[in-house]
């Protein structure tokens, strides 16, 4: 079962390579942190704060490629967890075709803020966090 979440917080610590984003259950109380790289945190933060750059950066480029190929990112799914690492999928639709693309959660969320699409978490991931 999928549970809808939203990006709740981006924590950027200067001088640290590891940054944190927190996702929270939409309309619920569950939340959890995801540790990400500096570049991904900055990409998310730039978009949230409407900071424009003169040329497309990596996540902007990928979002543009999907759009120019007639696709649309419809949702991000954090679908699994292995050795304390989260796994994610991008669900991209083009016409009647749906393509699931393996992604790091940090990249998936950076793309979701660009596309304005929802973030879902598999219930099995939430159960693993509680144990």
């Amino acid at each position: 079962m999928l549970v809808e979440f939203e990006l709740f917080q981006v924590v950027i610590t200067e001088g640290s390579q590891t940054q944190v984003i927190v996702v929270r259950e939409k309309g619920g109380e569950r939340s959890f942190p995801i540790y990400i790289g500096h570049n991904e945190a900055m990409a998310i933060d730039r978009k949230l704060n409407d900071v424009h750059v003169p040329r497309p950066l990596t996540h902007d480029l990928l979002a543009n490629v999907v759009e120019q190929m007639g696709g649309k990112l419809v949702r991000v799914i954090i679908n699994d967890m292995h050795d304390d690492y989260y796994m994610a999928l991008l669900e991209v639709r083009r016409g009647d075709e749906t393509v699931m693309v393996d992604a790091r959660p940090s990249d998936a969320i950076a793309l979701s803020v660009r596309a304005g699409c929802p973030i879902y978490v598999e219930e099995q991931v939430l159960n693993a966090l509680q144990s």
Side-chain angles (χ1 to χ4, degrees), residues 53-112:
V53 294
R55 300 291 298 142
L57 298 176
T58 304
H59 297 98
D60 303 309
L61 173 64
L62 185 53
N64 291 343
V65 168
V66 169
E67 183 181 324
Q68 291 299 311
M69 293 183 74
K72 178 178 178 165
L73 179 62
V74 293
R75 67 180 170 176
V76 164
I77 304 168
I78 299 174
N79 67 316
D80 209 350
M81 189 172 168
H82 294 288
D83 301 322
D84 295 328
Y85 290 98
Y86 297 102
M87 309 294 158
L89 294 169
L90 303 173
E91 183 175 317
V92 178
R93 281 208 194 114
R94 190 173 89 175
D96 294 336
E97 180 184 18
T98 298
V99 178
M100 303 302 278
V101 181
D102 183 35
R104 297 183 305 176
S106 56
D107 293 324
I109 291 170
L111 287 166
S112 78

Side-chain angles (χ1 to χ4, degrees), residues 14-77:
E14 292 298 322
S16 175
Q17 285 299 95
T18 304
Q19 311 301 318
V20 180
I21 55 175
V22 178
V23 293
R24 177 177 64 183
E25 184 177 13
K26 198 166 187 177
E29 296 183 17
R30 295 181 285 188
S31 66
F32 60 94
I34 301 174
Y35 297 91
I36 66 174
H38 180 77
N39 291 337
E40 293 79 10
M42 293 305 297
I44 293 167
D45 189 64
R46 267 193 296 276
K47 184 62 179 175
L48 292 175
N49 290 302
D50 204 29
V51 174
H52 296 279
V53 294
R55 300 291 298 142
L57 298 176
T58 304
H59 297 98
D60 303 309
L61 173 64
L62 185 53
N64 291 343
V65 168
V66 169
E67 183 181 324
Q68 291 299 311
M69 293 183 74
K72 178 178 178 165
L73 179 62
V74 293
R75 67 180 170 176
V76 164
I77 304 168

Side-chain angles (χ1 to χ4, degrees), residues 32 78-81 86 121-129:
F32 60 94
I78 299 174
N79 67 316
D80 209 350
M81 189 172 168
Y86 297 102
V121 179
E122 284 278 3
E123 191 73 47
Q124 69 183 22
V125 173
L126 298 170
N127 292 338
L129 290 170

